[in-house]
Amino acid sequence: MTAHASNLAHLPESLNQAHEHRGRDAAHIIKSDAEAIAVAHQVATEIAKEASIRDKERRLPRKELDLFSSSGLWGITVPKEYGGAGVSNKTLAEVIAIVAEADPSIGQIPQNHLYMVEGLRLDGTDFQKRYFFDLVLQGVRFGNAFSEVGTKSVNDVKTRLTPANSGYFLNGKKFYSSGALLADWVPVVAKDENDNTVVAFVPAGAEGLTIIDDWSSFGQRTTASGTTILDNIFVPSEHVVPHHLAFDRPTAMGPVAQIIQAAVDTGIARAAFKDTLHFVRNYTRPWIDTELEHGYEDPHTIKDIGDLQIRIHATDALLARAGEYIDEAQRNPNEETVAEASIAVAEAKVLSTETALLAGSKLFELAGTRSTLGEYNLDRHWRNARTHTLHDPVRWKYHAVGNYSLNKVKPPRHPWI
């Protein structure tokens, strides 16, 4: 403990030096919702250029992620009183959707970073808010070590935080650690001595922290969502947030987590549809039982394209609507506003899931056999959709929406609804 504790006073300086050593630009500070949307489009243009190649080669997006965080987009939800833009959740969702359309792996990576910004806003001490929000505005990235494998449910946590002199020791093993390999800090979900859920912020490079790049899914290949090992890591008390408080009372913590997931799926749907239009317009041949000159004149194809476009527009609308409900829940948190926000996000999540999967599949039906060739790598859209939408099964979203509408039963408060 002494060796760990002796370095605590130097953590901020060491972190800044590491930030500079990686050659990352100082983060731009975004000031408004409109600027956030404009910057997201600029970043998306750049990261889209090699998205397919990164997927094929399973190459981690190091320089692209540096561009993303340096753009200031990772700090847009920092409250205005702490120097951030404090953008609306409608804007947040659209920013993620824009980036995810370019590369959904990159769109997913900041999900838990943004989740923890909200967690700090709700339950961080003033010191924690000032300290960590300042780092976020500098371009510092939070990864995550939340979920575990081999437990009874996703909410079952075996990782433990044990009291020690002036802090705690952290021990456990995590999986699905999206972005942790490329993060500056790794927030870890653990149980404390009272069996309460807490989050311990661990700096990258801390003694006892091992992050393994062993993510092997067929989709979302470059999120680096692998294994994190926590071996007797010392964590000062100032770096522990009582995360259970965000769910012990009505807050928008769960809806914030979920709208980001829905935004990623919305981006995937947009990308699949965009590639469908391009392929059908440029390569698809007309069917032999017609006298048409071009595949894009096929009336059945036109009908299906229209159906997809309507579904994507409906998904966009539900996503924006969900953001507005979250904004109200944050302004006026109570049982009713939080339940309404959760249900609104669940509706968006259902449609974004189904639209992304449908768009990824319809692409091949409408574009034809040639579109399955490996040189185009168009199957990445369906693979990404199928993988990412498994986070929170929509069958339970239907249940939550139906039970609320029919029986006025409020959904449970947790990050998965």
Side-chain angles (χ1 to χ4, degrees), residues 12-34:
E13 181 182 355
S14 299
L15 183 59
N16 288 335
Q17 289 173 350
H19 190 59
E20 294 170 1
H21 179 69
R22 292 171 186 169
R24 281 155 49 182
D25 296 332
H28 170 66
I29 296 180
I30 291 171
K31 296 296 186 181
S32 69
D33 290 59

Side-chain angles (χ1 to χ4, degrees), residues 71-141:
S71 74
L73 290 173
W74 287 51
I76 57 175
T77 58
V78 171
K80 292 180 179 179
E81 58 266 35
Y82 291 92
V87 302
S88 70
N89 287 282
K90 177 181 177 180
T91 294
L92 171 63
E94 181 58 18
V95 164
I96 296 299
I98 290 167
V99 174
E101 180 180 351
D103 186 331
S105 287
I106 295 178
Q108 180 186 341
I109 289 175
Q111 195 265 339
N112 292 296
H113 168 98
L114 295 162
Y115 177 81
M116 285 318 308
V117 170
E118 177 67 3
L120 287 163
R121 186 189 72 83
L122 288 169
D123 295 308
T125 65
D126 185 59
F127 165 79
Q128 289 171 332
K129 291 176 183 178
R130 287 186 288 107
Y131 179 66
F132 286 112
F133 287 163
D134 182 62
L135 291 180
V136 169
L137 292 174
Q138 292 176 39
V140 166
R141 299 193 292 257

Side-chain angles (χ1 to χ4, degrees), residues 220-287:
Q220 294 297 90
R221 288 177 168 178
T222 60
T223 58
S225 303
T227 300
T228 299
I229 298 172
L230 312 151
D231 183 15
N232 221 35
I233 300 171
F234 180 77
V235 181
S237 301
E238 294 81 6
H239 293 173
V240 178
V241 176
H243 193 48
H244 63 95
L245 297 178
F247 302 102
D248 290 348
R249 68 191 193 282
T251 74
M253 190 78 239
V256 167
Q258 284 294 300
I259 197 171
I260 298 170
Q261 304 281 33
V264 172
D265 299 333
T266 299
I268 295 172
R270 292 178 187 176
F273 185 63
K274 181 179 179 180
D275 278 349
T276 301
L277 295 178
H278 175 78
F279 209 96
V280 171
R281 285 288 308 177
N282 290 279
Y283 302 112
T284 303
R285 296 182 294 184
W287 184 237

Side-chain angles (χ1 to χ4, degrees), residues 19 58 84 106 119-120 184 195 215 221 225-226 258 265 286 297 311 345 351 359 366 379 396 415:
H19 190 59
R58 206 180 285 269
I106 295 178
L120 287 163
D184 302 298
D195 208 37
W215 177 242
R221 288 177 168 178
S225 303
Q258 284 294 300
D265 299 333
E297 297 172 311
R311 291 174 187 273
V345 176
L351 199 55
L366 300 179
D379 61 299
W396 281 97

Side-chain angles (χ1 to χ4, degrees), residues 144-149 156-160 170-177 187-191 210 214 225-230:
N144 92 93
F146 292 174
S147 298
E148 302 176 9
V149 292
D156 188 15
V157 175
K158 294 182 178 179
T159 299
R160 292 285 161 178
L170 179 64
N171 287 278
K173 185 177 181 179
K174 300 287 187 174
F175 196 58
Y176 308 114
S177 304
V188 180
V189 170
K191 294 286 188 178
T210 302
D214 58 354
S225 303
T227 300
T228 299
I229 298 172
L230 312 151

